[in-house]
Amino acid sequence: MPLDYRKLMALPPREERARYTARDTILYALGLGVGADDPLAEHTLRYVYEERLQALPTMAVVIAYPGFWLKEPQYGVDWKRVLHGEQSLELHRPLPIEADVVSRLRIEEIYDKGADKGALLLSSREIVDAGSGERYATLRSSAFLRGDGGCGGPREGAPKPHLVPARAPDLSVFNATREDQALIYRLSADYNPLHIDPDVARAAGFERPILHGLCSYGVIGRAALGALCAHDATRFRQLDVRFSAPVYPGETLRTDIWHQGPGRAALRARVQERDVVVVDNGLFVYEPA
């Protein structure tokens, strides 16, 4: 049976409270592969060494993370056939290296693509300081529910993706992922078995466990941060992407970057070994030097 559209749209915001520490901040960076290429470089140490630690901006996606909430029975989703479609992050201030926070998640809309085509669920999440209420970040994401078409939601109105220029990129950044990267990244709160259990991966149609989409997102964000902001996390403002194909641990990501005026760039990433686009329609917004 398809999910209950009216029930899901009527749900109140889902609230999570959490405390994260400097250890969590370091673990997130290691899960993205920080230090794998040059462990003693200054731009490495700023994200893994407690004496001068900064939080990677994309860590906002795992702070007070609600986990694989679509797997829970009350949502009625065919969770083995869920794919992360898009991810957007807007930072309102640089993330502290540790804090007590509150996260509020709500379902914004579910677009019905048809009984044989699935559905697209859009959700948003705000992260605020638990004491002051000050906003740290606003996140928006889409999930492609491949097994839940025919749910009765609207068919039109989904947001349009950011267009990437039809010309050669202005620069490219290469990041090799590790064979065990998903095993490390999942310790930052995303325990979806699709990324560790071969049986679950095969049931979902993959030859083996795939890398978390949000891990690829963080790797690409770090590539843009290094290329355009000299690894200065305080200059990050926004990162939007659309996931188009899975990444397998151990593959190399090539992030192509197009300048689009002061403080704006378009992004696309592909797996170098297979020449497959895995992230498209990227937008990176930052504070110019």
Side-chain angles (χ1 to χ4, degrees), residues 5 24 35 40 45 78 80-81 88 135 149 194 237 265 274 278:
Y5 172 78
D24 299 310
L40 301 182
L45 294 179
D78 182 358
K80 289 185 179 181
R81 301 184 67 192
S88 171
R135 286 194 305 166
L194 178 64
R237 296 293 179 270
R274 292 183 285 126
V278 293

Side-chain angles (χ1 to χ4, degrees), residues 243-275:
F243 301 105
S244 55
V247 177
Y248 290 99
E251 294 184 321
T252 302
L253 287 172
R254 187 187 87 198
T255 303
D256 294 328
I257 301 173
W258 291 262
H259 298 299
Q260 293 193 305
R264 290 175 65 89
L267 306 177
R268 174 183 289 141
R270 66 178 64 236
V271 166
Q272 187 70 7
E273 292 84 352
R274 292 183 285 126
D275 193 28

